[in-house]
Amino acid sequence: MRQLWLLTLFCSLVIAPGTANALIGVQSKRKISDLAGGFTGTLKDGDRWGLSVVSLGDLDGDGNPDLAVGAPGDDDGGTSRGAIWVLFLRADGSVRAHQKISDGMGGFGGALSNADQFGISIATLGDLDGDGNVDLAVGAHGDDDGGSGRGAVWILFLDTDGTVKGEAKLSALAGGFAGALDNGDAFGRSLALLGDLDGDGTVELAVGALGDDDGGSGRGALWIVSLDGDGGAVAEQKISQLAGGFGGALDNGGGFGISAAALGDLDGDQVPDLIVGEYSGNDGGGGRGAVWILFLETDGSVGAEQKISDTAGGFAGTLADGDNLGRSVARLGDLENDGSLEIAVGAHGDNEGGPNRGAIWLLSLDHDGTVLGEQKIAHSSGGLGNGLGDHDIFGVAGAGPGDLDDDGFADVVVGAADDDDGGPARGAIYALFLGPPVCSDGVDNDNDGDVDFPADEDCTQPFDKNEACGFGAELVLLVPLWTRLRRARRRR
């Protein structure tokens, strides 16, 4: 009876293809790895290329967006010193050219040590030095300045060819950073540019320190660091279980600060807000994970927070122990043109199709940070198309590059850092071109001459568009609408 009612509702609300309320999923994809996507750089076993990824905009001015991809296991100069790769893309998402930045390569003149893992995180800084080129922050969370594993962040001033013309370091001993770091804090584990929070002309950078022990072992922390035009720190604000106005309850070993992304002004108070991962949080079961929406004040402290997890924030997806929701986070924009913000949240431990193949969740957010709807993209969900291998950890990184293919829908780039193309854990990234509908595979499963579309939001009950609605026009499923109706009913 429920499915019949749903079909009646859907058929009464048929709209043109590509319109606002359609369920979003993968229309097509482009894999980039040691063996795919036109990438001709040299990767080695254990590089873990794709453990971080960020959009650079159009660095070289050719009209196509470019990317930076981290390979923190790279051994240039010594074991696991790390590297990043700047990728210059073609319009189809393949790689036209690349530039590596590592110990002694790409113009980088900083001193790296073994196990620094430079490239564990990357964020764009806009044009920090005013030369017209985008600049980067790069995490090296294994850096030992001041003590073992305290961590560091490198500020890279780029040229249009992707090489480095200058750098600055932030750590316990460098760059004017005055915050107190302890051994194992892993400062630099995540990075996110917030912009100018307080209007003083300096930009604020969020820096994760997932090993911080405020309130309990490994609960994690985040630092909001104000940067000058030279990449030095002029002020900092800590956010943790004990600092910065944060009122949420963190789990021991939860790793708050493993990921971070700026959301823009979600609540309309004219101050940018932030999403932060707690990937080993235990809501609902061990290591299912969580993310926190932080509504910031102009001084970088937290005015309010909203948790999203297996038991909080309106999330209705199915998580299992060890999924690690929150391993990555990315802002995508308003995909459905309905006034709500969509984000991508990685769950790299998801076992759909095989162990640790990974997943991402597309979440539609209300202005209070709760979830209005969700769509999973994994081995056999959301239109990805069964392309993942065991232990690929798809979803370990994510970035919102905008509309790569100019189809009117924002797209997403996802890391799979333990992909084995070319050799063990060399890594890969996927450019996922998003749009509606997600569930049709273009196949006429019942051989009646019509391509099948789903009859429910979980994509498990196919029906033919002609049989369901009695005409041949394309049916666009209003699943976000149904999700909202379902939630409203459940809350009563």
Side-chain angles (χ1 to χ4, degrees):
M1 177 64 72
R2 189 184 87 165
Q3 287 185 352
L4 179 60
W5 181 85
L6 279 172
L7 293 180
T8 303
L9 172 64
F10 289 155
C11 293
S12 68
L13 293 171
V14 171
I15 53 177
T19 7
N21 286 318
L23 181 64
I24 303 298
V26 180
Q27 295 291 291
S28 62
K29 67 189 178 191
R30 166 75 69 178
K31 185 178 185 181
I32 301 173
S33 72
D34 200 35
L35 303 178
F39 179 66
T40 59
T42 300
L43 299 179
K44 297 180 181 179
D45 296 354
D47 274 0
R48 308 193 78 193
W49 190 77
L51 203 58
S52 61
V53 62
V54 72
S55 174
L56 300 179
D58 183 9
L59 181 62
D60 59 353
D62 69 346
N64 297 316
D66 305 311
L67 300 173
V69 181
D74 187 280
D75 295 332
D76 280 4
T79 303
S80 296
R81 296 195 176 191
I84 67 170
W85 293 80
V86 177
L87 305 185
F88 300 98
L89 301 184
R90 299 185 178 95
D92 63 0
S94 63
V95 179
R96 177 182 58 79
H98 63 264
Q99 174 62 57
K100 187 179 185 181
I101 299 171
S102 66
D103 193 348
M105 293 192 66
F108 179 70
L112 298 178
S113 300
N114 293 349
D116 274 1
Q117 295 193 63
F118 173 82
I120 194 71
S121 59
I122 315 173
T124 56
L125 296 174
D127 181 11
L128 192 62
D129 60 353
D131 68 347
N133 300 325
V134 68
D135 303 310
L136 291 180
V138 180
H141 76 316
D143 187 281
D144 294 332
D145 274 10
S148 177
R150 297 195 178 191
V153 176
W154 288 91
I155 309 300
L156 306 186
F157 301 99
L158 297 185
D159 274 324
T160 56
D161 62 358
T163 58
V164 179
K165 65 177 186 177
E167 64 277 320
K169 188 178 186 181
L170 297 175
S171 72
L173 302 179
F177 180 75
L181 298 178
D182 295 322
N183 292 349
D185 273 1
F187 177 79
R189 186 59 185 82
S190 64
L191 298 166
L193 176 66
L194 292 171
D196 185 358
L197 282 180
D198 54 3
D200 67 349
T202 62
V203 298
E204 275 69 50
L205 178 70
V207 183
L210 85 164
D212 189 281
D213 294 330
D214 275 10
S217 176
R219 294 197 180 187
L222 195 79
W223 291 87
I224 308 299
V225 182
S226 298
L227 300 178
D228 61 25
D230 296 323
V234 296
E236 57 278 316
Q237 170 66 57
K238 188 178 186 181
I239 298 171
S240 71
Q241 188 70 88
L242 304 178
F246 179 74
L250 300 176
D251 292 333
N252 288 345
F256 175 81
I258 183 70
S259 60
L263 295 178
D265 181 13
L266 186 62
D267 60 353
D269 68 349
Q270 309 304 311
V271 181
D273 303 311
L274 187 66
I275 182 170
V276 182
E278 186 193 4
Y279 77 127
S280 288
N282 296 321
D283 278 10
R288 296 195 178 190
V291 294
W292 292 86
I293 308 299
L294 305 186
F295 299 100
L296 298 182
E297 305 287 356
T298 56
D299 63 356
S301 63
V302 180
E305 64 279 320
Q306 173 63 57
K307 188 178 189 180
I308 299 171
S309 71
D310 198 38
T311 61
F315 178 74
T318 300
L319 298 178
D321 293 357
D323 273 1
N324 295 144
L325 183 77
R327 180 58 180 77
S328 63
V329 290
R331 182 187 189 276
L332 301 182
D334 183 2
L335 295 181
E336 299 172 320
N337 297 316
D338 61 355
S340 61
L341 175 68
E342 276 72 50
I343 61 173
V345 181
H348 76 303
D350 187 280
N351 293 327
E352 185 175 310
N356 297 317
R357 294 197 176 193
I360 62 168
W361 289 87
L362 304 184
L363 305 184
S364 180
L365 298 184
D366 207 344
H367 297 293
D368 63 358
T370 57
V371 178
L372 294 170
E374 61 277 313
Q375 170 64 53
K376 185 180 183 181
I377 297 175
H379 174 75
S380 54
S381 297
L384 186 62
N386 304 334
L388 302 178
D390 292 351
H391 306 291
D392 275 359
I393 61 171
F394 173 82
V396 74
D403 184 7
L404 291 174
D405 55 356
D406 293 322
D407 68 345
F409 288 91
D411 303 310
V412 62
V413 178
V414 182
D418 286 350
D419 184 282
D420 294 334
D421 275 9
R426 294 196 177 189
I429 61 173
Y430 288 83
L432 306 183
F433 302 98
L434 302 181
V438 304
C439 300
S440 174
D441 57 6
V443 174
D444 175 17
N445 295 294
D446 55 3
N447 299 310
D448 70 345
D450 293 314
V451 170
D452 298 319
F453 285 78
D456 69 347
E457 64 175 294
D458 298 317
C459 308
T460 59
Q461 302 294 327
F463 70 98
D464 288 333
K465 57 191 176 184
N466 290 352
E467 292 173 357
C469 299
F471 51 83
E474 179 178 358
L475 173 68
V476 180
L477 300 181
L478 301 181
V479 174
L481 173 61
W482 161 238
T483 302
R484 294 182 180 102
L485 291 173
R486 182 191 64 179
R487 303 269 166 78
R489 184 177 181 181
R490 187 177 65 221
R491 290 166 183 159
R492 285 201 294 266

